[in-house]
Amino acid sequence: MNPAVSKDLSFALKVAIQFLPEDRQATSDEVTKAVETAKMVAGLNGVTVEAVDLRKLVESRTTIFQESSAGLSDSENHVRWLPDAKNDRSWAFWTRYERFLKHSRGMPLQVVNSIDRTTDEVLGELEDPHRPGSWRRMGLVIGQVQSGKTGQFIGLAAKAADAGYRLIVVFAGVLNDLRAQTQLRVDEGLLGFDTQYQLRSDQEGADRYIGVGAMAGEPRLHVASLTNSTEKGDFDRKTASKANLPIGNFPVVLVVKKHPKIIDYLRTWVTEVHGVEDPKTGRKIVQDIPLFVIDDEADNASVNTAGDGADPTSINAAIRKLLTSFDKSSYVGYTATPYANIYIDPDADHDSLGGDLFPESFIRTLRAPSNYLGPERLFGLRAYAEEEDIDPLPLVRHVDDTENWVPEKHKSGFTVTAELPDSLRRAIHSFVLTCAARRARGQVDVHNSMLVHVTRFTKVQGQVRDQIDDYVRLLRNGLRDRYGAASRAHMNELRLMWERDLEPTTAFFTADEAERLSWEQTAAEILPAIQKLEVKAINGVAKDVLDYYSNRHTGMYVIAVGGQKLSRGLTLEGLSVSYYLRFAKTYDTLLQMGRWFGYRPGYEDLCRLHTSPQLVAAYEEITAATDELRRDIEEMAAIGFTPREFGLKVRTSSLGLSITAANKMRQGTRVRLSFSGELAETTIFPLTNGNPKHNFDSLQTFVGMLSAHTAPEVDPKTGSLVWSDIPAELVASGFFDPYKSAPEANRIRPDAISAYIQQCAKAGELGRWAVRIVSRRGADMSVDLAEYTLGAVTRAASKTARPDSTKHTIKRILNPKDESLDLDPEQYEAAWEATKKAAEGRKNRNGGPLAPTLPTGEPLRWQRRPDQAHLLIYLMEPPEANPVVPLIGFAVSFPFSKAYTATEYVVNAPWWKDDSDDLGDEDGAEDA
């Protein structure tokens, strides 16, 4: 499709959306009627469109869904207010923003509806700005990297302004360009004018209206800002003083960098103009002007990293002092990596600063829309309970040829002498083809970006940038001579990549051959694409900038080489190809570096991530750990826990990664690992050093010990062996102590499980175990165990794990229906009801309602008595032919403990000091 047709389709799409239901998914008949009506209206306006093309566009906007958010909340000292306020306030800022998202941004209706719902949920957790007296609310919203958190919190800010908050402060990272980028988004979505040219919406003689302010028929809403979208547009006391801008009559919105001096300037200015002296403290306090703070990337810089007993770090102190300078304040942190925030001590206090930034009022999780290209889709995810595994998309390409070019470990003065590695040249070719393919699809005047992140050092980044620029110029010059030998060689190389890589991957995404491009269509756009291509170094030293906004009508084609600036918050528009080699030792840093996550409408199949196998393994681990954390929050929310009652439990790494930086979890260089209410199960089985035979022989001994205690019951249906009322000591010393697990299985360590069992036993818990050795009728492999013959179960190998001859990895060992076999009828019924209740309103990964078919998960384990645990032992067929013994796996369903909630492990200081890779170092600071 050419750009003209695309514009016509865009017009027809806006018309069609008007005829679709906004409160639910449109039916096929409704889509048909909307398309027919829009085609007719378009024709009356002199616009001709094909119904089939328009229908595809409409369907792409109506088939996207988004799950509801979930959250922990503490309602103490909180007055419910929002339902009544819906009737007594105008909500003009939100209504304008909502129309902007639907009609100007073309956002899917269900996604806009979800933003409306989730922002209501967060707003309702804040205090009514009209509530008299002093109050403070502290919350945290957990999104995903590049998933649209900024658009969400702008919606929240719009509603806060409508509700009556008169000073809204957005903390936007620690870098000038990120602050400026966020300010521009606020200008477009909330203010409605360009802050580079005017301070308030009603400024005389100013007409620089953009975004929501430029939409036809929209009202001019009174709002002001003392910050602007230039690089140096942060808060300035001189500007504020000259503006003579009183706060209280209408909303004032500031987008401020997280810098202690700037935050202090802001606080001093507000308190000098509007503060009154507090007779108790002598400090000036702002009364009756409600403050709302949005802290973007709240885990970065805001967290107090000072040691015990020391004064808080400067940024943390400045934020806390600002909050305590108002008698009415609400604070909401937004982050995709919440580990550091939840590790904040909830009981921390300071004489003048008060409590820390722990989200004691609420914690909410935001689910990304179904069209989000996130870690789960890119790297795959082992699903839980009845969910299906998420297989990784075929978009990752391994890199293993860079050690002689830019080694993994190098210093800031390193000189690049080797030529570009073949892997980087292939990545550049892939980007050129992506730009050409998007042009051939009609996506001409759009942004196209490639990320190159191989070092944190600015000097090395500059050398890499120059090398890439030289290569791009060589490629461009060769292609210009259409009949020369160089051009033929380059085109042959590009065609080979197209046929071997891009065509097969696109076929994976698109079943309809008519929608796929031919090589000839793409080849015609290669030269125009590379002619437009620029190479830029984006760091604190280079003068290059990514000015997407100024080029929004024509689009930028750019290869961005950088480090820290490209590692947190800064969005690369139209990012398709990433070449990423930078390793870090913490979950949060690695996740934040993943700029390749986000939304890729119309070109998802063209995206590529070129990275090392080690980094892929790290991201697989982090994806699983983060998914587990979100699931824990959702399940605890269903039970009704408050943030203070929620015990953070993050899966530890097998690759030497830690959760977050040590100074962000002073409580914790300790890793808190709890089995209370847990399902602990083996998924990794060691195959070497005689471990399979050792575990089988140990099981033979354990069966003898069990039989000496009491004779087993034999399940008539399956042949499984079942023992009841087994004491904790026998289970701990007889089974777990001798069990040999894979070294990678840090989270399921038999010695830790044994220690936990013995701790609980001393407190009168876990005293009556049910032990079941699972058997399967008709199994291919029979196993003689003591005097019994059992059938081994089979489990498929994990689709996301890398092949390894030393270990065997599966999705899960547990058959979900087995976990509840030891429950009495009353417990089973209660667990079933609780499971169904927890699933209410939630959706499965296909967007349909989550419909459990049996009790499972934490709702089940809540029904267990503290002394009632269930050990399931599985004899599993190993992967090799002619096996000697089965692999022995287990699953333990633990009740919730009232005595012991966690076992702690300590990471020592030397590990952290050795080669720590912190961003601040450089670069500008069922049984089968």
Side-chain angles (χ1 to χ4, degrees), residues 510-558:
T510 308
D512 188 352
E513 291 188 21
E515 295 185 5
R516 302 178 201 166
L517 293 172
S518 67
W519 163 247
E520 289 73 21
Q521 289 172 299
T522 303
E525 298 292 343
I526 288 176
L527 187 57
I530 200 169
Q531 295 269 42
K532 194 173 179 178
L533 184 56
E534 302 174 85
V535 184
K536 295 177 177 287
I538 306 300
N539 53 45
V541 176
K543 296 181 180 180
D544 293 343
V545 294
L546 291 174
D547 191 358
Y548 291 116
Y549 184 75
S550 297
N551 294 278
R552 64 192 182 279
H553 299 303
T554 57
M556 287 183 69
Y557 293 16
V558 62

Side-chain angles (χ1 to χ4, degrees), residues 397-706:
R397 304 293 179 265
H398 287 162
V399 174
D400 57 7
D401 61 350
T402 60
E403 190 62 27
N404 293 329
W405 175 58
V406 178
E408 180 182 349
K409 296 181 179 181
H410 59 275
K411 298 183 181 295
S412 60
F414 175 77
T415 299
V416 182
T417 58
E419 294 181 348
L420 286 182
D422 287 342
S423 58
L424 182 48
R425 281 196 288 265
R426 287 194 298 271
I428 295 169
H429 291 176
S430 177
F431 182 58
V432 170
L433 287 171
T434 294
C435 295
R438 293 193 70 189
R439 292 177 65 89
R441 290 175 178 177
Q443 302 166 20
V444 178
D445 298 327
V446 296
H447 297 309
N448 284 288
S449 300
M450 174 178 173
L451 162 69
V452 178
H453 188 167
V454 299
T455 176
R456 69 179 183 270
F457 300 118
T458 55
K459 179 183 175 184
V460 186
Q461 291 167 19
Q463 297 174 67
V464 171
R465 182 259 171 215
D466 290 345
Q467 276 195 314
I468 294 175
D469 188 60
D470 288 344
Y471 184 72
V472 169
R473 290 178 184 277
L474 178 69
L475 193 59
R476 181 190 295 130
N477 291 336
L479 288 169
R480 280 174 176 162
D481 183 4
R482 297 175 181 270
Y483 303 103
S487 178
R488 288 195 300 272
H490 291 322
M491 290 299 286
N492 286 338
E493 196 170 4
L494 291 168
R495 179 167 188 164
L496 200 60
M497 172 173 279
W498 175 264
E499 294 173 345
R500 292 182 177 179
D501 187 339
L502 279 82
E503 275 192 332
T505 306
T506 298
F508 175 89
F509 284 83
T510 308
D512 188 352
E513 291 188 21
E515 295 185 5
R516 302 178 201 166
L517 293 172
S518 67
W519 163 247
E520 289 73 21
Q521 289 172 299
T522 303
E525 298 292 343
I526 288 176
L527 187 57
I530 200 169
Q531 295 269 42
K532 194 173 179 178
L533 184 56
E534 302 174 85
V535 184
K536 295 177 177 287
I538 306 300
N539 53 45
V541 176
K543 296 181 180 180
D544 293 343
V545 294
L546 291 174
D547 191 358
Y548 291 116
Y549 184 75
S550 297
N551 294 278
R552 64 192 182 279
H553 299 303
T554 57
M556 287 183 69
Y557 293 16
V558 62
I559 298 178
V561 182
Q564 182 185 354
K565 281 197 173 185
L566 302 182
S567 295
R568 183 182 278 271
L570 192 65
T571 299
L572 294 175
E573 301 286 351
L575 179 63
S576 55
V577 178
S578 298
Y579 191 87
Y580 174 75
L581 301 178
R582 171 93 176 274
F583 204 91
K585 285 186 174 179
T586 62
Y587 290 4
D588 46 12
T589 301
L590 278 171
L591 264 183
Q592 289 291 348
M593 287 180 176
R595 299 291 95 192
W596 47 84
F597 304 130
Y599 303 96
R600 307 291 184 259
Y603 64 105
E604 199 175 65
D605 60 309
L606 303 174
C607 296
R608 297 293 184 272
L609 169 59
H610 299 257
T611 191
S612 68
Q614 294 82 4
L615 277 161
V616 172
Y619 276 105
E620 288 172 351
E621 279 202 340
I622 297 168
T623 300
T626 305
D627 180 74
E628 184 174 345
L629 173 62
R630 294 177 189 279
R631 190 176 61 255
D632 283 350
I633 293 176
E634 290 167 359
E635 291 180 346
M636 291 299 98
I639 295 168
F641 273 29
T642 69
R644 280 179 173 265
E645 294 170 329
F646 174 61
L648 176 66
K649 180 178 79 281
V650 181
R651 184 184 303 188
T652 54
S653 168
S654 66
L655 302 174
L657 302 173
S658 190
I659 297 164
T660 188
N663 59 5
K664 290 184 180 180
M665 42 183 293
R666 295 283 182 184
Q667 309 284 312
T669 36
R670 295 176 179 86
V671 177
R672 297 177 59 83
L673 182 62
S674 173
F675 297 103
S676 173
E678 279 284 297
L679 177 72
E681 60 177 315
T682 44
T683 57
I684 307 175
F685 299 81
L687 302 178
T688 58
N689 300 323
N691 283 325
K693 188 173 189 308
H694 169 86
N695 285 340
F696 180 71
D697 291 343
S698 297
L699 178 60
Q700 292 274 21
T701 303
F702 181 52
V703 169
M705 297 166 66
L706 290 172

